[in-house]
Amino acid sequence: MECTHAIQDTDVLFRFLVQSAKDRAIFGLDLQGHIISWNPGAEHIKGWRAEEILGQHFRMLFPEEYRQQGRPENELKEAFETGHYQGEEPRQRKDGSFFIAEIDLWLLRDDAGQPCGFVKVTQDVTARKLAEEAHVALLARERSSHAEAEAERHKLYAIFEQAPVGIAIYRGPHHVIQFANPVQCRFWERGCEEVLGKPLREVLPEEQGPSIIEKACDPVFQQGEPRVFTEERFEFTRQDTGERVEHYFNYTHVPMRDLAGTVEGFMAVAWDVTDAVRSHQRAAVLTQQLQDRVDFEQQLIGIVSHDLRTPLNAIHLTVSAMARRDELDARTSQSVLRIQSAVHRAVRLVGDLLDFTQARLGEGIPISPRAADLNQVARQVLDQVDAAHPGRTLRVQERGDATGVWDSERIAQVVQNLVTNAIKYSPEASPVQVTTRGEDGWVCLSVHNQGTPIPPEKLPRIFEPLQRASSEVDSTSRSVGLGLYIVKQLVEAHGGTVDVTSNLKQGTTFTVRLPRHGDSGGQ
């Protein structure tokens, strides 16, 4: 139980980090591309509220031209095949306006390593692209008229002054600072008038300046090729307090050429991503902690269930032999029967744990389909349940042909779990109704009881492991909450579905639909 609580706490912290990201749209998609989560950053950047967008296909976020080209499907395909799609493309807000988006689309996998969805992170980089495009425009104008270019340069600098990212222009092999906007000067913790005309080496921290210039600046000036840097770490000492400070930046260096095509300097666009990096780091730690706990949970359950089998089999054989002896008195015979019943419950619990472990590890619960009759399977199970619960009323109704190709033992397990669950969560005086009926290509099983309805907030998670329909069952039941999870796994292994409805007026009904030919491939 402590392990489960720790996993839930970790999940809450991870969700908090996603919800706290205001400068990025972070949202989840299922494998078909439908939006299943939507953070505040997505509402801010894209304009849609969560209630407007959840359940919609994410193609609605693309411009119409891109939809017709099949861009949404291509993104999903590439992310599914490679694990990650990255791009920079126009996107559309709710109000119809466009912005340039930097996109990362990652494929998510479940505990078993199977694809289970996607997470998409979008950042509005319009300001950065405008700055870069403005610079390109500036260079083009310089070739036509120096005077006009000078005027345009001043206009451009005025735009740069208002940009939300750091922008600086460097000239010559020593990278003398010709221009730096206020955001860039704040990154340096210097005044703009203080840095203009100085080589970059004199502005950068002494401990990092030479390495940064050698790696990020000299190659751009010498080779004339742009360079892009992501999440670069900078550590320096504040001049006013002496405090050691760590920051992370994304930045781009673009060479600038004169009319003859010779590189005369470069422009740098930078933005602080410290908060995002620290969020990633915390999320990675929390994700690893979550994975470690899940792995421990699965290993523990697997070990315990395997180790319990041998002593339980020995007890079962011994008690069965004792039960066949004629010389036992009534009191001893009753004690032997109670032990035998307890062993049967323990064996079923071990079986549930083994099935749970196989399902969670991605191996799937094994099935062996063959010709079977659901009516016959249900009657046999109900005879056994009736013997174990002589005070309960079980009603059976059969409608039509209920034959098909399934693993009859596994289907019997489904029926037994649903019927015992109905008995457990209903008053002793109330009946449990079991109905089987044949349909075209399908056979249905429904189990109904008139007990306290399942709370609405629990219905969406009723088939998840370690969940219970109600907290009213006493501790003597020793249920660990795996029965309905295993029912769902077994039904889906046969290609079928299981659903539940529950309310005060009509009671609770679990409905299983099985294709007549089941899953011929097995597991």
Side-chain angles (χ1 to χ4, degrees):
M1 185 62 69
E2 292 177 358
C3 179
T4 301
H5 287 166
I7 292 173
Q8 292 172 347
D9 292 343
T10 300
D11 184 62
V12 169
L13 289 173
F14 179 75
R15 291 177 182 274
F16 173 76
L17 293 175
V18 172
Q19 292 296 316
S20 300
K22 303 300 184 183
D23 61 336
R24 283 173 172 77
I26 304 176
F27 53 98
L29 308 173
D30 62 19
L31 288 175
Q32 289 72 43
H34 298 98
I35 299 169
I36 59 177
S37 66
W38 193 254
N39 79 327
E43 294 189 9
H44 173 70
I45 292 174
K46 298 179 178 294
W48 276 281
R49 298 190 304 275
E51 58 266 28
E52 298 176 304
I53 205 75
L54 291 178
Q56 302 292 327
H57 197 281
F58 86 123
R59 69 167 60 91
M60 70 178 295
L61 305 176
F62 289 71
E64 180 61 27
E65 177 184 358
Y66 280 20
R67 290 183 231 167
Q68 295 178 359
Q69 295 172 0
R71 291 284 187 90
E73 291 74 17
N74 292 338
E75 284 189 12
L76 288 183
K77 180 180 178 182
E78 181 172 339
F80 187 88
E81 293 175 350
T82 67
H84 180 218
Y85 168 84
Q86 188 174 44
E88 190 176 274
E89 300 173 350
R91 287 292 186 268
Q92 192 169 11
R93 296 186 177 91
K94 178 183 178 182
D95 61 6
S97 63
F98 291 86
F99 65 98
I100 304 299
E102 189 175 81
I103 301 162
D104 286 283
L105 180 63
W106 285 279
L107 176 67
L108 298 179
R109 297 182 182 274
D110 59 20
D111 298 331
Q114 298 299 314
C116 62
F118 303 88
V119 63
K120 188 167 186 178
V121 180
T122 300
Q123 184 177 14
D124 185 349
V125 295
T126 307
R128 189 187 77 197
K129 297 300 295 183
L130 289 175
E132 293 174 354
E133 292 172 3
H135 172 62
V136 172
L138 171 64
L139 295 180
R141 289 184 176 87
E142 283 183 344
R143 291 182 173 86
S144 62
S145 169
H146 179 73
E148 292 180 3
E150 190 65 26
E152 291 297 329
R153 182 181 292 111
H154 287 296
K155 293 180 182 179
L156 184 60
Y157 285 178
I159 296 174
F160 288 171
E161 292 281 347
Q162 306 300 320
V165 295
I167 300 176
I169 295 176
Y170 307 92
R171 296 285 185 177
H174 299 296
H175 317 306
V176 175
I177 301 170
Q178 177 181 337
F179 171 83
N181 73 344
V183 174
Q184 182 61 52
C185 292
R186 284 198 298 272
F187 292 163
W188 288 327
E189 296 193 338
R190 303 284 188 92
C192 290
E193 68 284 349
E194 181 183 356
V195 301
L196 293 180
K198 290 184 177 181
L200 181 59
R201 185 183 299 270
E202 297 181 13
V203 176
L204 293 174
E206 293 183 3
E207 60 268 43
Q208 287 188 303
S211 62
I212 293 172
I213 290 174
E214 182 179 345
K215 179 181 72 173
C217 301
D218 288 345
V220 178
F221 183 81
Q222 295 167 2
Q223 301 170 16
E225 297 179 356
R227 300 290 295 274
V228 177
F229 301 88
T230 303
E231 296 183 358
E232 290 288 312
R233 179 178 177 272
F234 289 82
E235 186 176 358
F236 55 90
T237 303
R238 291 189 184 277
Q239 294 181 349
D240 52 350
T241 64
E243 176 189 4
R244 294 293 293 176
V245 178
E246 178 187 67
H247 279 276
Y248 291 84
F249 291 91
N250 290 349
Y251 56 96
T252 302
H253 289 176
V254 180
M256 300 173 60
R257 302 177 184 273
D258 59 20
L259 294 178
T262 302
V263 176
E264 60 179 4
F266 66 91
M267 184 177 75
V269 179
W271 56 102
D272 191 332
V273 293
T274 304
D275 291 341
V277 170
R278 289 174 179 165
S279 295
H280 295 163
Q281 293 171 343
R282 289 192 292 268
V285 171
L286 294 174
T287 300
Q288 186 58 51
Q289 290 175 347
L290 174 62
Q291 186 62 52
D292 290 344
R293 284 167 172 77
V294 171
D295 292 343
F296 174 77
E297 174 194 82
Q298 294 176 350
Q299 291 171 5
L300 180 62
I301 290 176
I303 292 171
V304 170
S305 59
H306 278 89
D307 289 349
L308 282 175
R309 244 183 182 178
T310 300
L312 285 175
N313 287 337
I315 296 172
H316 175 69
L317 292 174
T318 302
V319 172
S320 298
M322 292 177 63
R324 291 192 295 270
R325 296 175 61 178
D326 297 332
E327 64 270 20
L328 296 179
D329 56 48
R331 182 176 181 181
T332 303
S333 178
Q334 186 65 29
S335 298
V336 170
L337 290 177
R338 284 199 297 268
I339 296 173
Q340 195 172 36
S341 177
V343 171
H344 286 160
R345 288 198 303 272
V347 169
R348 286 197 300 271
L349 175 59
V350 170
D352 285 349
L353 289 172
L354 287 173
D355 287 342
F356 170 72
T357 302
Q358 287 182 311
R360 296 285 277 185
L361 291 177
E363 299 174 2
I365 300 178
I367 62 172
S368 301
R370 56 187 179 276
D373 186 336
L374 183 59
N375 291 336
Q376 180 180 353
V377 171
R379 286 195 299 270
Q380 291 173 348
V381 171
L382 292 176
D383 288 342
Q384 297 171 4
V385 175
D386 186 54
H389 300 274
R392 296 304 301 265
T393 300
L394 302 179
R395 295 176 179 172
V396 183
Q397 186 176 37
E398 300 175 358
R399 300 176 181 174
D401 177 20
T403 58
V405 179
W406 314 295
D407 186 328
S408 58
E409 293 184 2
R410 290 300 193 177
I411 296 303
Q413 188 176 352
V414 169
V415 178
Q416 184 175 45
N417 281 358
L418 291 177
V419 174
T420 54
N421 186 75
I423 291 174
K424 185 188 305 182
Y425 292 103
S426 61
E428 291 188 5
S430 66
V432 172
Q433 176 70 47
V434 178
T435 303
T436 57
R437 66 180 184 276
E439 300 175 352
D440 291 340
W442 295 85
V443 174
C444 296
L445 165 75
S446 64
V447 179
H448 172 268
N449 73 81
Q450 200 60 47
T452 302
I454 302 170
E457 66 274 12
K458 289 191 175 184
L459 280 174
R461 303 182 61 187
I462 194 66
F463 293 105
E464 294 182 11
L466 308 179
Q467 299 293 320
R468 292 184 181 180
S470 170
S471 59
E472 297 178 1
V473 180
D474 63 31
S475 60
T476 61
S477 69
R478 295 293 188 266
S479 171
V480 293
L482 297 180
L484 292 179
Y485 171 78
I486 292 172
V487 165
K488 182 176 176 63
Q489 297 299 312
L490 289 174
V491 171
E492 291 182 348
H494 286 83
T497 62
V498 56
D499 300 295
V500 58
T501 60
S502 186
N503 56 63
L504 185 60
K505 181 178 180 181
Q506 298 178 343
T508 299
T509 302
F510 286 86
T511 302
V512 173
R513 297 184 77 244
L514 295 171
R516 289 191 184 272
H517 297 289
D519 183 355
S520 59
Q523 289 287 328

